Amino acid sequence: MNTNPQTTLTTPPRGILSRRWAQVTVMVVGFAIVMIVSNSIASALENPVAALLIGQLLAVLMLWLYRFAVHRVERRPAAELAPRRAARLLLIGLAGGLLLSAATIAVLAVFGGYRITGWGSISGALSVFGMMCAIAVAEEVLFRGVIFGLVQRRWGTWLALAVSAILFGLVHLVNPGATLWGAVAIAVEAGIMLGAAYAATGSLWLPIGLHLGWNVATVGIFGTVTSGSEARDALVTAHTSGPGWLTGGHFGPEASIVAVIVCSIATAVLLRVAHRRGRILVGRRRQDPSAL
C-alpha cells in the first residue's frame, strides 16, 4: 500500500477534474443535440394551430429537461428558472425585443431600406410565434443557461460573455444565406446582449423574452427574415432594398449595422445594471471541488 501523503492528496482532485469535464461535455453536447432537433421540428411547422401547440410544447419540454439536468448533473437547483419573477421578466423581455426590432426597422424605413407593400396574414404571424417559442427557449437554454452559466461560474462574466457570444454567432453560419459578417453581427448584437440580460438578472426569463420578442417582431410582424432563414408568412408583406450594410441583405436586418448599434445600446444598459447589482464576476471563482 502506498502511504505517501503527497500522492494521497493529489490523486482525488484528478479524478474530480476528469469527472467534472465529463459532466460539462454531457451538458453542452447533450443540449446542443436537443436544440438542433427542437429547432428542426419547429422550423418545419407551417399550420398555425400545430405551430402554436407543438412550438410551446417543445419550449416547455426544453425547460423541464434543463431543470432535470441541472439537478442531476450539476447537483443544484435551477435558480435561473425560478418562477417568482418569471412572468414579469418574460413580459419585459418580450416588450424589449419588440421595441428593439421596431427601432431597427424604423431606422431602415427612414433611410429607404424597408417598405411595407401590403397585408399578410394573422395565421402566418401565429405560426411564427409558435415556431419562435421553441427556438428562443432552446437557444437560450444552451447558450446562456448551459454555456454562459458554466463558464461564468468557473472563469467569470467577461469570458462567459465572449465564449457564449462567439459560439452563438458561429452556429448561425449554417443557416441559408449566412455570411461571416452576419455571424459577427449576431455575436455582437444578440450574443452579448442576451448574455448581458442573463448577467443582469441571474435569470433565463429575460433573455428568453428578448430573443422571442425580437424574432417574432422581425419575422412575424415586419415580414423580414432572421439569420438568413427562409421567409415566412407575416402580419405584413414588406420589401427591403439598399446596401447590405444597411439592410443586412439576404441575412436579414440582423446583419444590418443599424441592428448592431441599436442592440449594443441595450447591451450597455444591461451591463451597467449588472455592474450596479454586483453581478459581474471577475476571474476564476473558488468553488467546491465536486461542483462544475
Side-chain angles (χ1 to χ4, degrees):
M1 178 180 294
N2 188 345
T3 58
N4 186 329
Q6 195 73 15
T7 304
T8 304
L9 288 173
T10 57
T11 300
R14 290 177 183 171
I16 290 170
L17 182 62
S18 177
R19 184 166 64 251
R20 183 184 305 132
W21 282 105
Q23 291 170 336
V24 169
T25 301
V26 168
M27 288 286 286
V28 174
V29 175
F31 276 98
I33 293 172
V34 173
M35 182 199 73
I36 292 170
V37 172
S38 179
N39 285 7
S40 297
I41 294 172
S43 298
L45 300 172
E46 296 185 359
N47 180 278
V49 176
L52 281 172
L53 292 177
I54 297 175
Q56 293 182 75
L57 177 61
L58 288 170
V60 171
L61 287 174
M62 176 63 81
L63 293 173
W64 176 86
L65 182 60
Y66 179 72
R67 284 183 184 275
F68 177 80
V70 164
H71 177 71
R72 293 297 298 271
V73 178
E74 296 190 54
R75 306 287 184 184
R76 66 177 180 85
E80 57 270 35
L81 286 179
R84 184 170 60 88
R85 298 181 299 159
R88 177 171 170 269
L89 290 176
L90 192 60
L91 288 174
I92 291 173
L94 278 168
L98 288 168
L99 286 173
L100 290 171
S101 178
T104 300
I105 295 297
V107 174
L108 294 182
V110 167
F111 286 95
Y114 174 87
R115 179 169 55 89
I116 294 176
T117 57
W119 288 105
S121 68
I122 295 177
S123 63
L126 291 176
S127 294
V128 170
F129 179 81
M131 175 185 70
M132 293 304 179
C133 281
I135 291 175
V137 169
E139 292 185 357
E140 291 313 301
V141 162
L142 174 62
F143 290 100
R144 258 55 66 178
V146 176
I147 295 173
F148 184 99
L150 289 171
V151 176
Q152 179 179 239
R153 285 190 291 275
R154 189 154 183 85
W155 290 293
T157 302
W158 297 118
L159 186 60
L161 281 169
V163 171
S164 60
I166 290 170
L167 292 177
F168 190 65
L170 287 175
V171 79
H172 286 82
L173 283 173
V174 304
N175 290 4
T179 63
L180 181 58
W181 162 246
V184 171
I186 285 283
V188 173
E189 75 199 17
I192 299 178
M193 180 183 71
L194 295 169
Y198 186 31
T201 59
S203 172
L204 279 174
W205 296 115
L206 182 61
I208 286 173
L210 281 169
H211 197 151
L212 179 59
W214 172 276
N215 282 0
V216 169
T218 303
V219 180
I221 295 177
F222 298 118
T224 63
V225 298
T226 179
S227 307
S229 299
E230 295 180 3
R232 311 278 298 205
D233 289 338
L235 197 61
V236 300
T237 57
H239 177 68
T240 56
S241 60
W245 62 266
L246 175 66
T247 66
H250 296 299
F251 197 79
E254 287 176 334
S256 166
I257 191 64
V258 176
V260 173
I261 294 171
V262 168
C263 292
S264 293
I265 293 172
T267 298
V269 173
L270 288 166
L271 288 176
R272 181 172 177 78
V273 171
H275 176 72
R276 292 182 64 179
R277 292 179 176 179
R279 292 186 177 275
I280 301 294
L281 308 179
V282 180
R284 182 171 177 170
R285 298 181 65 192
R286 291 185 178 180
Q287 58 186 23
D288 187 324
S290 63
L292 288 175

